Amino acid sequence: MSNLRPRKNVDNGKAVESTESDYIDTDDGILEKRKVNLSETIASGSKRTPAVLEKFVQSLPEKGKVWVVRGISAIIMFSLLGLVIYGGPLTMLITIMVVQVKAFSEIINIGYAVYRAHGLPWFRSLSWYFLITSDYFFYGEFLIDSFGVALSRTDFLQFLVTYHKLISLTLYLVGFVWFVLSLVKRYYLRQFALFFWTHITLLIVVSIAHAFIQNLFEGIIWFIVPILMVCCNDLMAYVFGKLYGKTPLIQLSPKKTWEGFIGAGISTIIFGMIISHIFCNYKYFVCPVQYDEAEDRMTLECQPGEMFVPKEYNLPQFLSNISKLFGFGDSIVLYPFVLHSFFLSVFSSVIGPFGGFFASGFKRAFKIKDFGDAIPGHGGIMDRLDCMLLMALFVNVYFKTFLNHDTVQKMFHQIHNLNAEQQLQLYRMLQESLQNKHLL
Amino acid sequence: MSNLRPRKNVDNGKAVESTESDYIDTDDGILEKRKVNLSETIASGSKRTPAVLEKFVQSLPEKGKVWVVRGISAIIMFSLLGLVIYGGPLTMLITIMVVQVKAFSEIINIGYAVYRAHGLPWFRSLSWYFLITSDYFFYGEFLIDSFGVALSRTDFLQFLVTYHKLISLTLYLVGFVWFVLSLVKRYYLRQFALFFWTHITLLIVVSIAHAFIQNLFEGIIWFIVPILMVCCNDLMAYVFGKLYGKTPLIQLSPKKTWEGFIGAGISTIIFGMIISHIFCNYKYFVCPVQYDEAEDRMTLECQPGEMFVPKEYNLPQFLSNISKLFGFGDSIVLYPFVLHSFFLSVFSSVIGPFGGFFASGFKRAFKIKDFGDAIPGHGGIMDRLDCMLLMALFVNVYFKTFLNHDTVQKMFHQIHNLNAEQQLQLYRMLQESLQNKHLL
């Protein structure tokens, strides 16, 4: 313990006295001191109220005020969601992009605050540049997979399609070289920390946005049902927790209880099946987004896949007995999607909340209350998205595994990107293989 | 500056006096103090000599000793590389896996040292678990793309193929939930830091290993030529720097000079073309690795692609004039691959070194000399791999863009994974499209 003395910080041979706020420490106890700083730097939304709303709620008691603000925000969010859904796939796509940019900026700003990046050369430009290159790559891949045939109609777009991977890598490498050239001895550690911070943020934000977009283009139902499930689960966990909550669930979030967890799970499963059943009735929700070459626009018209056509299921014995007691038959007519939605809602109730626990652990680690202040009464965009993270990935993998109805369409786009000779070669291989299996 | 006093670290209400070595700071000056600690924790290989080698060089002067050790290590490495190449694709595949594990452990160990992870629950198991899940996902995808048809022969493998993405996501989520459950209040910040550190390491190590394996399976030449180019560039930069070096190249690595950079670039281009020409003569090097169903083993037999068949090129005017002066014709016969190798060697000389600069910036940021001590006289595995990082990615994207000769093969594997009805549908779509283009 001999080194318990004010430290001197040697910088270019000149001793600079350092203050405690000069460090970010890995030890939680030490960060205690920084709490104030970070909370001041990062706007915290759950406490902030816009002037017009403030006026509206000023006569209410403090506790009620928070809930009214939170409720109004929630209503506005749902209305916006409704409008966006009504606006069609392109509106939804743009909304996902905007939300992604906001979420990226929230996480990156925490990084700036943690590493006090103000003096670092190029730090802001670099982060945003990397976001642009990642988006260019991922959305490009997505567009090529989904609309390759349409894209190949003009020479310029054909060029972008053919060299997409190389252009993306070049863009990324420009950023990489730029970062290396921007390194300044004094800031090495912080620059590397922010470089890695940016990449982790990209990994989270871009992959989630990408998953959402893919889900959306498989059919709006794959986009909206998971979102509503997560909202329902969030809300019901709170309601059941308030009403019956006794047994703490996890050390990380002391307010969460087993009663809330289980109640929310059951509610989400029932709610999920009901909304799935409703949405299954509309082509607008169940058809994949496709590009109509004749009309040169995106369409949501299709012959609904078998998952969205009602089907008769025989009930298992014990359910059939109950059903007969009430005078019903021993079978039930359902959209197959409703059964699939059961697995989605189980996931959103059991694993989904871990996205939230992860985010709250993250916030506790950096001693911040919220990710930002975009939504009065709720916090930042990321505070609302935390449970959606794992959900979007799961839905994406789920339909890729079980129900990828337009795989054929996608492969056709890929084949279309080959040259004539390769297309012919593939055609002959396929012909031979189908003949061997006596399918032709 | 009022808070320049010994700090108290509040832990469970009990004040704990903290020493400087308790922190990792973002400020380089502060880290100065940690230098000793980190250097002690992380084995540094460039100074370490195994006993048998030490005995051999003990009579030499200190300076010479280092170079003899370094040279002997280099010879051993090249011999091993030769043996591995001789051993065939499977030996190479296993070697890449082993090197990947070692590189992962080097970077992860630095993380452990930086965040003094000793008290953290499950930190080691979690890192390795995430490596296993990432490898499972990426190698699985690779195997399915390359050998899907062969894999679908047994039911169990077919199951693994069909549910590959879902199994991988489940494995990852198990790790994610495990991490969240392992969070302990006292260590939040360090646990998250190590979680992100692990993910960045995975991003680097797994993607590079994956790129190398893909390159290798396109033909050994895509694997070995880039490696030799990078080695040549490293070596010649040193030689030219020693002989003619005057003008410093980059602040980050004070020993690097423009003279070394340019000399190495020219040497690498010439060397690259020569070795490319030599390797082009052997099917063993130019044929993609394929699975021979009849013999149930990997083969390197093929009709070499057009890139590996000599072709006559007309020289441009000024070169043709020079050529005539020496009594040669105005055309030249070359393997087209040799021309492609020109771009690869330019990349390895101009952009490749930035991988090295990045790694040395990283080492400086954490005040460590080497990544490890695996190779006497050289440091860790990562110290030798640093310039290979960008190179492997570039080669991968390069042949995907310009020369993906077995795209057809890969697509056929993908189509083979569809069900019979989808295969027929795709067949008909392709037939119609080819008929419309009058290709059938």
Side-chain angles (χ1 to χ4, degrees):
Chain A
M1 301 277 158
S2 63
N3 43 14
L4 275 175
R5 52 186 160 68
R7 285 169 290 166
K8 299 222 166 190
N9 191 350
V10 181
D11 174 28
N12 296 330
K14 190 175 65 181
V16 178
E17 284 187 332
S18 59
T19 63
E20 278 190 17
S21 66
D22 272 336
Y23 328 116
I24 163 69
D25 302 307
T26 49
D27 196 298
D28 292 27
I30 308 295
L31 243 190
E32 204 65 36
K33 181 77 190 84
R34 282 189 62 78
K35 190 182 187 174
V36 189
N37 295 355
L38 274 185
S39 304
E40 278 166 9
T41 324
I42 297 156
S44 169
S46 44
K47 288 283 160 58
R48 204 202 57 163
T49 317
V52 54
L53 211 56
E54 183 66 50
K55 211 163 176 181
F56 180 73
V57 297
Q58 64 187 357
S59 58
L60 293 168
E62 197 57 39
K63 184 90 184 171
K65 214 170 176 169
V66 172
W67 283 103
V68 171
V69 171
R70 195 171 284 190
I72 293 174
S73 285
I75 292 169
I76 294 174
M77 278 194 288
F78 274 108
S79 313
L80 283 177
L81 184 62
L83 267 178
V84 166
I85 300 277
Y86 180 76
L90 208 61
T91 317
M92 286 182 252
L93 188 70
I94 293 167
T95 309
I96 294 174
M97 298 290 282
V98 171
V99 169
Q100 180 215 37
V101 167
K102 184 69 193 156
F104 181 79
S105 103
E106 283 178 2
I107 307 184
I108 285 293
N109 278 331
I110 296 173
Y112 295 160
V114 169
Y115 294 101
R116 284 150 309 110
H118 320 297
L120 303 190
W122 295 113
F123 65 101
R124 250 173 227 282
S125 318
L126 267 169
S127 315
W128 288 100
Y129 181 80
F130 280 123
L131 179 65
I132 293 167
T133 60
S134 314
D135 273 349
Y136 181 80
F137 173 66
F138 282 107
Y139 295 125
E141 289 279 296
F142 170 71
L143 287 175
I144 292 167
D145 276 357
S146 311
F147 306 106
V149 178
L151 287 174
S152 64
R153 286 186 307 174
T154 76
D155 283 350
F156 177 64
L157 285 178
Q158 179 63 54
F159 173 83
L160 291 183
V161 169
T162 308
Y163 297 105
H164 182 67
K165 285 199 171 71
L166 192 62
I167 295 170
S168 305
L169 180 66
T170 308
L171 287 175
Y172 179 81
L173 288 174
V174 167
F176 187 88
V177 168
W178 180 6
F179 167 72
V180 171
L181 291 177
S182 80
L183 284 170
V184 173
K185 197 167 183 197
R186 198 178 138 69
Y187 297 123
Y188 283 164
L189 194 57
R190 283 197 226 167
Q191 288 181 298
F192 272 95
L194 270 176
F195 181 82
F196 293 138
W197 187 287
T198 304
H199 280 70
I200 288 287
T201 311
L202 286 177
L203 202 67
I204 299 171
V205 171
V206 176
S207 65
I208 302 304
H210 193 58
F212 266 123
I213 291 177
Q214 284 194 323
N215 299 352
L216 168 63
F217 276 69
E218 293 292 322
I220 298 177
I221 198 165
W222 294 105
F223 173 72
I224 186 69
V225 163
I227 290 180
L228 293 179
M229 278 173 178
V230 169
C231 294
C232 167
N233 197 67
D234 269 12
L235 179 69
M236 296 317 277
Y238 178 79
V239 171
F240 277 89
K242 270 278 169 208
L243 292 179
Y244 310 105
K246 272 191 226 108
T247 333
L249 176 63
I250 185 169
Q251 197 198 1
L252 204 60
S253 300
K255 283 184 187 164
K256 301 258 158 71
T257 60
W258 272 103
E259 289 79 4
F261 184 75
I262 294 168
I266 296 171
S267 318
T268 307
I269 291 172
I270 297 170
F271 171 79
M273 287 185 152
I274 295 173
I275 55 165
S276 298
H277 182 82
I278 296 172
F279 287 130
C280 275
N281 287 303
Y282 302 96
K283 278 194 181 176
Y284 185 73
F285 290 107
V286 304
C287 286
V289 180
Q290 272 169 338
Y291 180 78
D292 185 331
E293 285 207 61
E295 298 199 30
D296 195 18
R297 62 184 192 87
M298 293 191 195
T299 61
L300 282 165
E301 281 297 319
C302 68
Q303 193 61 37
E306 53 184 85
M307 200 188 316
F308 303 108
V309 175
K311 193 175 159 185
E312 193 169 349
Y313 291 93
N314 289 322
L315 289 172
Q317 193 60 43
F318 72 101
L319 279 179
S320 145
N321 290 341
I322 298 171
S323 166
K324 277 177 195 156
L325 268 181
F326 291 92
F328 296 107
D330 56 0
S331 72
I332 185 171
V333 175
L334 273 181
Y335 291 104
F337 180 83
V338 174
L339 294 182
H340 285 292
S341 87
F342 173 79
F343 295 100
L344 302 187
S345 48
V346 167
F347 185 89
S348 77
S349 317
V350 178
I351 308 296
F354 279 89
F357 302 151
F358 182 83
S360 66
F362 180 85
K363 287 184 275 188
R364 274 158 212 268
F366 291 102
K367 313 269 176 193
I368 51 173
K369 183 150 171 26
D370 297 307
F371 281 99
D373 64 351
I375 315 168
H378 291 257
I381 293 269
M382 277 306 296
D383 293 286
R384 282 297 84 202
L385 286 183
D386 53 8
C387 296
M388 310 265 179
L389 304 184
L390 304 176
M391 190 67 193
L393 285 182
F394 178 73
V395 171
N396 195 269
V397 171
Y398 189 86
F399 71 64
K400 273 191 185 145
T401 306
F402 294 106
L403 336 137
N404 205 349
H405 54 268
D406 69 353
T407 308
V408 173
Q409 200 67 37
K410 268 188 197 145
M411 274 198 188
F412 183 62
H413 285 297
Q414 285 176 22
I415 294 172
H416 201 274
N417 290 334
L418 298 175
N419 65 36
E421 192 193 335
Q422 289 174 316
Q423 291 189 26
L424 273 172
Q425 191 189 342
L426 191 61
Y427 173 77
R428 298 215 182 87
M429 284 166 81
L430 187 55
Q431 193 171 39
E432 194 188 318
S433 139
L434 290 171
Q435 276 163 353
N436 287 344
K437 289 188 228 153
H438 308 293
L439 290 168
L440 272 185
Chain B
M1 304 275 157
S2 63
N3 44 13
L4 275 176
R5 53 186 160 69
R7 286 170 292 167
K8 300 223 167 187
N9 191 349
V10 181
D11 175 25
N12 296 329
K14 190 175 62 181
V16 178
E17 285 186 332
S18 60
T19 63
E20 279 189 18
S21 66
D22 274 336
Y23 329 115
I24 163 70
D25 301 307
T26 49
D27 195 300
D28 293 25
I30 308 295
L31 244 191
E32 204 65 37
K33 181 76 189 87
R34 283 188 63 77
K35 191 180 183 176
V36 189
N37 294 356
L38 274 185
S39 306
E40 278 167 9
T41 323
I42 297 156
S44 170
S46 45
K47 288 281 160 58
R48 205 203 57 164
T49 318
V52 54
L53 212 55
E54 182 65 50
K55 209 163 176 181
F56 179 72
V57 297
Q58 63 188 355
S59 57
L60 293 168
E62 197 58 36
K63 184 93 184 169
K65 215 176 194 167
V66 172
W67 283 103
V68 171
V69 171
R70 196 171 284 190
I72 293 176
S73 285
I75 293 169
I76 294 174
M77 277 193 288
F78 275 108
S79 315
L80 284 176
L81 183 63
L83 266 180
V84 166
I85 300 276
Y86 180 76
L90 207 60
T91 317
M92 288 181 250
L93 188 70
I94 293 166
T95 309
I96 294 173
M97 298 291 283
V98 171
V99 169
Q100 179 216 37
V101 167
K102 184 69 193 157
F104 182 79
S105 102
E106 283 179 4
I107 307 183
I108 284 293
N109 278 330
I110 296 173
Y112 295 160
V114 169
Y115 295 101
R116 284 152 308 112
H118 318 297
L120 303 189
W122 294 112
F123 66 102
R124 251 173 227 282
S125 319
L126 266 169
S127 315
W128 288 100
Y129 180 80
F130 280 121
L131 179 66
I132 293 167
T133 61
S134 314
D135 274 347
Y136 180 81
F137 173 67
F138 282 107
Y139 295 124
E141 289 280 296
F142 170 72
L143 287 175
I144 291 168
D145 276 357
S146 311
F147 305 106
V149 179
L151 288 174
S152 64
R153 285 185 309 175
T154 75
D155 283 349
F156 177 65
L157 285 178
Q158 179 62 52
F159 173 83
L160 291 182
V161 169
T162 309
Y163 298 106
H164 182 66
K165 285 197 172 71
L166 192 63
I167 296 170
S168 304
L169 180 67
T170 307
L171 287 176
Y172 179 81
L173 287 175
V174 166
F176 186 88
V177 168
W178 180 6
F179 167 73
V180 170
L181 292 178
S182 79
L183 285 170
V184 174
K185 198 166 182 197
R186 198 179 139 71
Y187 297 123
Y188 283 164
L189 194 58
R190 283 199 227 166
Q191 287 181 300
F192 272 94
L194 271 176
F195 181 82
F196 294 138
W197 186 288
T198 303
H199 279 70
I200 287 288
T201 311
L202 286 177
L203 203 66
I204 299 171
V205 171
V206 175
S207 65
I208 302 304
H210 194 57
F212 266 123
I213 291 177
Q214 284 195 323
N215 298 353
L216 168 64
F217 276 69
E218 293 293 322
I220 298 176
I221 199 167
W222 293 106
F223 173 72
I224 187 71
V225 164
I227 289 179
L228 293 179
M229 279 174 179
V230 170
C231 293
C232 167
N233 197 67
D234 270 11
L235 179 68
M236 297 316 277
Y238 178 80
V239 171
F240 277 89
K242 270 279 168 207
L243 292 178
Y244 310 105
K246 271 188 226 108
T247 334
L249 176 64
I250 186 168
Q251 198 199 358
L252 202 61
S253 300
K255 283 184 187 164
K256 301 257 156 71
T257 62
W258 272 103
E259 290 79 4
F261 184 75
I262 294 168
I266 297 170
S267 319
T268 307
I269 292 171
I270 298 170
F271 171 78
M273 287 185 151
I274 295 173
I275 54 165
S276 298
H277 183 82
I278 297 172
F279 286 130
C280 275
N281 288 304
Y282 301 96
K283 279 195 182 175
Y284 185 73
F285 290 107
V286 304
C287 286
V289 180
Q290 272 168 339
Y291 181 76
D292 186 331
E293 287 207 60
E295 298 199 30
D296 195 18
R297 63 183 190 88
M298 293 190 195
T299 61
L300 282 164
E301 281 299 320
C302 68
Q303 193 62 37
E306 53 184 87
M307 200 187 316
F308 303 109
V309 176
K311 193 176 160 185
E312 194 167 349
Y313 291 92
N314 290 322
L315 289 173
Q317 194 59 46
F318 73 99
L319 278 179
S320 145
N321 292 341
I322 299 172
S323 166
K324 278 176 194 154
L325 268 182
F326 291 93
F328 294 108
D330 56 0
S331 71
I332 184 172
V333 175
L334 274 181
Y335 292 103
F337 180 83
V338 174
L339 295 182
H340 285 293
S341 87
F342 174 79
F343 295 100
L344 302 187
S345 48
V346 168
F347 185 90
S348 77
S349 316
V350 178
I351 307 295
F354 279 88
F357 302 151
F358 182 84
S360 69
F362 179 85
K363 286 183 275 187
R364 275 158 213 267
F366 292 102
K367 314 269 177 193
I368 50 172
K369 183 148 171 26
D370 297 306
F371 281 98
D373 65 351
I375 316 168
H378 292 255
I381 293 269
M382 277 307 295
D383 293 285
R384 283 297 85 204
L385 286 184
D386 53 9
C387 295
M388 309 268 178
L389 304 185
L390 303 176
M391 190 67 193
L393 285 182
F394 179 73
V395 171
N396 195 267
V397 171
Y398 188 86
F399 72 65
K400 273 191 186 146
T401 306
F402 295 106
L403 336 139
N404 204 348
H405 54 267
D406 68 351
T407 307
V408 174
Q409 200 65 39
K410 269 187 196 144
M411 276 200 187
F412 184 63
H413 285 297
Q414 286 176 21
I415 295 171
H416 201 274
N417 290 332
L418 299 174
N419 63 37
E421 193 193 336
Q422 289 173 317
Q423 291 190 26
L424 272 172
Q425 191 190 342
L426 191 62
Y427 172 76
R428 298 217 182 86
M429 285 165 80
L430 187 56
Q431 191 171 38
E432 194 189 318
S433 140
L434 290 172
Q435 275 162 353
N436 287 345
K437 289 188 229 154
H438 308 291
L439 289 168
L440 269 186

